[in-house]
Amino acid sequence: MRILVKVFGCRSSLCEGEYIAGELINFGHEITDDVNLNYDDAVIVTCSVTSEADKKCRQLIRRARRSIGVNGILAVCGCWSENINIESAKDLGINILTGSKHKNILPEVLNNMILTGERNEKNFIDLRNININIGEWEELKILRPVMHSRAFIKIQDGCDHFCTYCVIPFLRGRPVSRPIENIISELKILDSNGTREIILTGIHLGIYGREINTSLAELINKISGLKLKNIVRLRLGSLEPFCLDEKLLRALKDCEIFCRHLHLPLQSGDDEILKSMRRGYNAGGFCKICENARKNLGDGLHISSDILTGFPGETDEAFNNTLKIMRKTELGRVHVFPYSERAGTVAEKLKNKVDNKIKSLRTSEAIKLGGELFKNYAEKFVNSDVEILAEKNSCGHAKNYVEAECVNKNLIENNIYNLRVINISSDGKFKCEHRD
């Protein structure tokens, strides 16, 4: 069968989607992530970080059901799926439903349903575990990247930080870490299969190892000691700023394959808003973290970030403080989101809600500044040579995670090239030339 595997959300979700796609290929099926193609069945990996994410998930689920018809099998998993009731799931035409757990058995369940000919939209299986706080690691080993050039390796799940605006701890459960030996085993398999770049991911990546008497720094040190043949790049997923301590910085500095890019979510540059968000740092602390990171990893370090606009109580002054910190820390790529009220969170009950029109204006202003800052960062590399890992359509990424396009040569996917940056596009991408 041709099966659509479509992923919404974070890099952990991308990793989970890669695992599902890989297992379905092992069962003999063809995989696509293009919703515009014809496909027989569909798997949707959902996200629930904002109300807009919820809306997009529902829209795609309905679209997928229309595309596959009454005899297609529709499987849905992920954060959004954790809270949906069975009646609503059936109304959407879902056949296989699981949430944050049991994604490891979803491919087999789907394949068995295909093999037994149970291709009826009324068939329904609920794989969800009522208790998501089981504290056990659910192994999702990837043999090779399927839908991406890079390999996403999930090493941590769950969160207990409980930022006041965030629903994810309720959907993902308490923190759990993957045993180091399992990670190293997967790394070696990926390396033997020709993978060039890996990305370590987790819901709260920085606390990796806390409950199994190890740490992210120790894992990085062990990876540094491996004799890898093909893997030449290591990246980290999103890292909470307060997790970037001296021990981790030393490990990253000593790791030859670590790419000089960190994603450190700021969310707000105002101390009162950060306190209300329960972020665990203040604006000055974030600035010192960025300064220390560049001191250890070099001035060329690309620090990308997330900004949340319109949080309850955010005044014009508070928002302007965020813009000031964005400039002061010389952030690169910035993802900006308007605050989205989530049921069950502390922030839902906060007063002084920000008007949607004001929220939209602030979002646009932060996006504009983010674009300017990212372009400023990228322009530093004009007339310099950068190493590019080729992906599709003669594009790829430099080590600092700036996207690059080669204008005078077709690049072969998964090969590495040294290219000269000749210009910067309006959205901050490297325009490069290959020099023979």
Side-chain angles (χ1 to χ4, degrees):
M1 297 296 173
R2 175 184 279 179
I3 303 176
L4 173 75
V5 178
K6 194 67 177 177
V7 180
F8 283 111
C10 63
R11 287 175 169 177
S12 291
S13 292
L14 289 172
C15 177
E16 293 157 358
E18 283 278 3
Y19 167 80
I20 291 168
E23 289 295 290
L24 291 172
I25 288 173
N26 291 339
F27 284 126
H29 303 293
E30 179 186 348
I31 299 300
T32 180
D33 64 352
D34 189 342
V35 296
N36 296 310
L37 295 179
N38 293 324
Y39 45 91
D40 303 296
D41 307 294
V43 179
I44 312 297
V45 183
T46 63
C47 173
S48 192
V49 70
T50 64
S51 57
E52 184 64 21
D54 287 350
K55 179 181 177 182
K56 288 181 178 180
C57 288
R58 284 183 175 272
Q59 288 174 340
L60 182 58
I61 289 167
R62 292 191 180 98
R63 179 176 179 177
R65 172 48 70 190
R66 289 194 300 269
S67 296
I68 61 181
V70 295
N71 292 322
I73 300 171
L74 177 58
V76 179
C77 63
C79 289
W80 173 87
S81 313
E82 193 68 48
N83 274 343
I84 188 172
N85 59 53
I86 292 176
E87 292 73 21
S88 297
K90 289 181 177 179
D91 287 343
L92 288 167
I94 295 171
N95 300 111
I96 304 171
L97 179 68
T98 191
S100 299
K101 307 297 180 184
H102 298 328
K103 298 185 187 82
N104 58 335
I105 63 171
L106 187 151
E108 183 178 2
V109 173
L110 174 56
N111 185 61
N112 288 340
M113 191 175 282
I114 292 171
L115 292 177
T116 56
E118 297 175 2
R119 308 184 65 79
N120 187 310
E121 65 177 348
K122 294 184 179 179
N123 289 330
F124 180 78
I125 300 175
D126 190 352
L127 300 174
R128 292 176 297 182
N129 190 329
I130 294 174
N131 178 19
I132 63 171
N133 291 302
I134 55 177
E136 297 176 1
W137 181 256
E138 189 173 279
E139 189 71 5
L140 303 174
K141 185 173 287 186
I142 298 170
L143 302 180
R144 61 176 57 83
V146 174
M147 297 188 293
H148 302 86
S149 299
R150 304 182 297 278
F152 297 88
I153 301 178
K154 183 179 168 185
I155 67 169
Q156 188 275 340
D157 206 343
C159 181
D160 59 0
H161 189 74
F162 291 98
C163 295
T164 58
Y165 55 82
C166 186
V167 74
I168 299 304
F170 302 103
L171 303 178
R172 286 276 182 170
R174 72 187 188 195
V176 58
S177 298
R178 184 180 184 183
I180 282 186
E181 58 268 23
N182 292 20
I183 300 169
I184 298 301
S185 173
E186 182 175 350
L187 259 173
K188 290 178 178 178
I189 292 171
L190 288 166
D191 186 59
S192 67
N193 288 331
T195 303
R196 310 309 302 273
E197 180 175 310
I198 58 169
I199 301 148
L200 303 181
T201 73
I203 298 302
H204 195 338
L205 182 64
I207 63 169
Y208 167 79
R210 189 179 66 183
E211 70 282 2
I212 58 172
N213 197 31
T214 187
S215 67
L216 183 57
E218 186 172 340
L219 173 60
I220 299 296
N221 287 332
K222 286 188 179 295
I223 293 174
S224 295
L226 295 176
K227 295 181 180 179
L228 300 171
K229 179 181 178 181
N230 290 300
I231 295 174
V232 293
R233 289 184 172 192
L234 167 68
R235 297 190 190 279
L236 299 182
S238 182
L239 194 69
E240 293 297 345
F242 51 80
C243 293
L244 193 62
D245 58 18
E246 293 293 337
K247 186 177 179 182
L248 179 55
L249 279 171
R250 284 197 302 271
L252 295 174
K253 183 178 181 180
D254 293 340
C255 183
E256 291 184 2
I257 63 172
F258 173 67
C259 298
R260 266 36 181 184
H261 166 246
L262 290 170
H263 187 81
L264 306 176
L266 168 61
Q267 306 300 9
S268 173
D270 182 81
D271 286 348
E272 289 302 314
I273 295 298
L274 286 170
K275 183 178 180 181
S276 183
M277 288 178 169
R278 198 174 178 268
R279 287 295 293 158
Y281 54 84
N282 57 27
F286 183 86
C287 292
K288 289 180 181 177
I289 289 166
C290 292
E291 181 182 355
N292 199 31
R294 290 193 172 105
K295 179 181 177 181
N296 282 272
L297 301 175
D299 292 336
L301 176 70
H302 176 197
I303 300 177
S304 57
S305 194
D306 296 331
I307 300 294
L308 187 62
T309 61
F311 188 78
E314 184 187 63
T315 61
D316 287 342
E317 181 182 4
F319 174 66
N320 285 329
N321 285 339
T322 297
L323 300 182
K324 289 176 183 176
I325 297 299
M326 288 173 64
R327 294 187 185 97
K328 184 175 181 179
T329 54
E330 297 182 345
L331 296 178
R333 184 175 293 280
V334 176
H335 303 283
V336 184
F337 306 90
Y339 167 71
S340 174
E341 194 168 276
R342 313 303 284 145
T345 61
V346 173
E348 181 191 18
K349 299 178 177 63
L350 293 178
K351 298 179 180 180
N352 299 319
K353 299 289 195 296
V354 177
D355 179 79
N356 285 336
K357 186 176 180 180
I358 294 174
K359 195 186 300 183
S360 179
L361 289 171
R362 289 177 182 171
T363 300
S364 297
E365 189 172 353
I367 290 174
K368 181 180 178 182
L369 175 59
E372 293 171 0
L373 291 172
F374 184 47
K375 193 172 182 182
N376 289 344
Y377 171 78
E379 283 178 342
K380 296 176 182 178
F381 296 88
V382 173
N383 296 322
S384 299
D385 291 335
V386 293
E387 181 186 282
I388 305 297
L389 175 60
E391 297 166 29
K392 296 179 180 178
N393 303 319
S394 292
C395 293
H397 284 82
K399 283 188 173 182
N400 57 11
Y401 205 55
V402 176
E403 190 174 352
E405 178 185 9
C406 186
V407 299
N408 67 338
K409 184 181 178 68
N410 292 326
L411 306 183
I412 300 172
E413 188 174 356
N414 214 38
N415 282 5
I416 290 177
Y417 298 86
N418 285 313
L419 305 178
R420 174 62 58 90
V421 180
I422 57 171
N423 204 348
I424 304 297
S425 67
S426 58
D427 55 354
K429 295 178 184 177
F430 288 153
K431 293 287 187 179
C432 300
E433 282 185 348
H434 185 274
R435 300 197 172 191
D436 295 316

